[in-house]
Amino acid sequence: VNSGKIDSATASSLADLATKTLIANDLGGYTVPTHGLYPFQWNWDSAITALGWMKSDESRAWQEIDVLFSGQWDNGMVPHILFHKDSDTYFPGPDVWGSDKKIKSTSISQPPVVATIMKEMLASAKDKALAEHKVKALFSKVVDYHLWWYNDRDPEKTGLVVTYHPWESGMDNSPSWDDALHAVPCVDWEYTRRDTSHVDSSQRPHKSEYDRFLYLVDFFKRNNFDSKVIYETCPYKVNDLGIIAILHRATKDLLKMGEQLGLNDDRTDYLAQRLQITEQAINTLWCEQSQYFYCRDVLTNSLAKVKTSAALLTVYAGLTSDEQTKIINTATEDFIESSQFSVASTHPKEEKYEPQRYWRGPIWLHINWMIAIGLKEAGFVTTANKIQDDTRNLVVKSGYYEYFNPETGAGCGGKDFSWTAAIALHWLL
Ligand code: 9YW
């Protein structure tokens, strides 16, 4: 146990609680983020949760990834939610999404962190034979998933994939989507949300956002999930820094794993070419005036000039020049200094910052982990360590909540949350 600034008894009781949280959220092969609020398998939650399972049960950790890929579409997409079993505690469920696949699912994806996680799992595995066997069995499916991102979401090879839904970004109500989402029509049918029956509505997205989230869900269904039609006509198309950075890092990690195990071929060579295009294109999201990266509304070709933590992930992706890396490190220090706990998802000095409302301010542990990895690798160890210490303080203070208030450190959203427990096990304890 690497207890850092906490004593080993506290660390081991927190580790014990985290393992129990995963076990309690295990539905047999996949882990729900938390019961009630999120009763299915979510894509990036599952990947991150596998890191936590590695500490207690490596074979269960690999199973999490296997089950995630069991829902992969023929075109390579790995959906954002897999509805393995029915539940009436979440809306919108499989009928609203309307996909006809063997395993019911949504028709969008989520930040593709899974290859990066698999690389971490391979490196830390005690059972190397199992890990290599699993990576070999999954490798081609992960390549398909990455090819889907580049070919379906960037068919014109701009270097920057597009996302079609705030849910796809995993950062549902980030202020980065406000303008792009505002241009989307509202659904014209009545519906009953379930999220606000589990969690206080002051912590959740507004109805005006949900109306548009649902319009888009309907839009995909009405267009029979046809990639070409949706690419040409989707009323919401965004270059999301979070997805772009996470995809870029994960593609590099996939190629490194492939090299290590002798699995690379012409398909991975093609992915390597796509990496190069992104390395050029990322600078179109850089604002010289504010010295910061922003997401872009592709339909209006305008940058969403609000400072969010997604931009800090460009260092983790290895997408920054030396000069930009320094600037992003300084920006991260500024995020850290601007609230009691860090890293706020929206900068506390932004007008749109709200400390309790989902992705408009609160801290998310897996994002902290990624930001810290990036800065540490780039040589900014002090900033990385500060983030790690702050993050540890949060779980000591508040336990395994979905996310945290940067001003008070209070836990918000769902309780007993899988990815929070997993990050604690992997990185903090
Ligand atoms: C939704 C499960 C998911 C996360 C997302 C987070 C939220 C809600 O919960 O999404 O309905 O998909 O924003 O990142 O994967 O924890």
Side-chain angles (χ1 to χ4, degrees):
V1 173
N2 165 21
S3 56
K5 293 188 177 160
I6 51 176
D7 61 68
S8 65
T10 309
S12 83
S13 87
L14 275 171
D16 195 41
L17 181 63
T19 304
K20 286 189 176 131
T21 302
L22 298 190
I23 292 169
N25 289 344
D26 183 6
L27 283 197
Y30 69 96
T31 318
V32 297
T34 183
H35 289 291
L37 182 63
Y38 298 131
F40 307 110
Q41 185 177 26
W42 261 258
N43 181 330
W44 70 330
D45 293 69
S46 222
I48 287 157
T49 299
L51 278 182
W53 280 116
M54 281 303 277
K55 296 286 171 182
S56 57
D57 185 344
E58 295 193 359
S59 124
R60 177 63 188 79
W62 289 105
Q63 188 184 25
E64 188 80 28
I65 312 289
D66 281 339
V67 176
L68 179 62
F69 276 89
S70 73
Q72 184 169 33
W73 286 20
D74 289 344
N75 66 1
M77 187 191 70
V78 180
H80 120 270
I81 306 175
L82 297 178
F83 302 109
H84 296 285
K85 287 181 205 157
D86 290 342
S87 168
D88 58 8
T89 66
Y90 179 82
F91 176 85
D95 298 342
V96 183
W97 285 92
S99 100
D100 55 357
K101 304 290 181 269
K102 198 172 71 208
I103 294 176
K104 290 182 186 160
S105 73
T106 61
S107 60
I108 53 171
S109 195
Q110 252 195 334
V113 70
V114 65
T116 296
I117 300 289
M118 287 170 64
K119 181 167 170 286
E120 290 263 343
M121 288 166 66
L122 177 64
S124 64
K126 293 201 180 73
D127 189 342
K128 290 285 180 223
L130 174 69
E132 289 189 12
H133 168 73
K134 287 293 181 182
V135 171
K136 284 181 183 161
L138 284 160
F139 193 77
S140 181
K141 297 179 188 181
V142 188
V143 171
D144 285 341
Y145 181 37
H146 282 239
L147 287 171
W148 170 82
W149 269 108
Y150 290 106
N151 290 331
D152 254 66
R153 298 312 188 81
D154 184 21
E156 296 173 78
K157 298 193 181 157
T158 66
L160 302 174
V161 294
V162 293
T163 51
Y164 293 151
H165 199 297
W167 278 335
E168 191 158 66
S169 73
M171 303 182 183
D172 307 20
N173 63 336
S174 165
S176 296
W177 327 137
D178 285 359
D179 291 344
L181 192 65
H182 191 70
V184 172
C186 295
V187 274
D188 57 5
W189 39 269
E190 292 297 313
Y191 59 92
T192 308
R193 281 171 68 167
R194 303 306 306 261
D195 57 327
T196 43
S197 66
H198 303 290
V199 168
D200 195 279
S201 61
S202 67
Q203 299 182 11
R204 298 288 308 176
H206 291 287
K207 178 175 183 331
S208 60
E209 285 152 342
Y210 255 72
D211 282 350
R212 291 171 169 97
F213 291 172
L214 291 168
Y215 178 91
L216 289 167
V217 170
D218 237 14
F219 172 85
F220 307 136
K221 184 164 65 175
R222 273 190 281 118
N223 287 291
N224 298 314
F225 316 111
D226 183 318
S227 296
K228 199 162 172 287
V229 174
I230 294 170
Y231 183 75
E232 280 161 10
T233 61
C234 187
Y236 177 96
K237 274 168 98 172
V238 164
N239 291 139
D240 162 17
L241 279 168
I243 294 248
I244 290 165
I246 289 168
L247 174 66
H248 196 77
R249 166 98 194 196
T251 302
K252 289 200 286 187
D253 287 339
L254 183 63
L255 300 188
K256 284 183 203 153
M257 258 191 309
E259 198 177 302
Q260 188 186 333
L261 300 180
L263 302 170
N264 286 345
D265 56 15
D266 49 350
R267 298 190 317 144
T268 46
D269 289 348
Y270 177 79
L271 290 174
Q273 288 168 24
R274 286 302 196 120
L275 288 173
Q276 285 178 6
I277 311 178
T278 305
E279 276 150 25
Q280 300 304 316
I282 194 70
N283 286 312
T284 64
L285 302 182
W286 175 253
C287 172
E288 209 36 57
Q289 201 192 354
S290 36
Q291 298 280 290
Y292 206 71
F293 286 105
Y294 294 116
C295 299
R296 174 166 49 215
D297 180 346
V298 173
L299 296 178
T300 59
N301 191 22
S302 44
L303 295 180
K305 292 197 178 170
V306 48
K307 289 191 176 162
T308 68
S309 61
L312 309 178
L313 294 174
T314 50
V315 174
Y316 157 90
L319 278 168
T320 45
S321 66
D322 289 351
E323 183 63 21
Q324 285 167 332
T325 306
K326 278 191 219 138
I327 295 170
I328 294 296
N329 177 60
T330 307
T332 310
E333 288 173 339
D334 184 48
F335 265 79
I336 293 172
E337 281 156 21
S338 300
S339 56
Q340 188 74 27
F341 295 87
S342 50
V343 178
S345 45
T346 298
H347 195 289
K349 292 197 188 103
E350 287 285 353
E351 236 172 79
K352 291 189 167 180
Y353 164 77
E354 293 181 68
Q356 295 234 112
R357 199 181 291 279
Y358 232 45
W359 289 91
R360 300 179 86 85
I363 301 164
W364 298 76
L365 259 52
H366 61 301
I367 303 290
N368 281 10
W369 172 65
M370 289 188 258
I371 296 170
I373 291 179
L375 290 174
K376 194 167 197 168
E377 286 174 357
F380 293 99
V381 178
T382 312
T383 321
N385 288 346
K386 173 81 175 89
I387 295 173
Q388 190 176 21
D389 290 345
D390 263 24
T391 310
R392 190 180 293 107
N393 288 340
L394 275 176
V395 299
V396 170
K397 180 179 165 58
S398 300
Y400 301 130
Y401 271 86
E402 182 177 7
Y403 62 89
F404 301 87
N405 181 323
E407 289 167 17
T408 63
C412 303
K415 286 190 193 127
D416 308 323
F417 221 83
S418 296
W419 64 12
T420 312
I423 290 290
L425 283 166
H426 178 71
W427 187 46
L428 303 177
L429 304 173

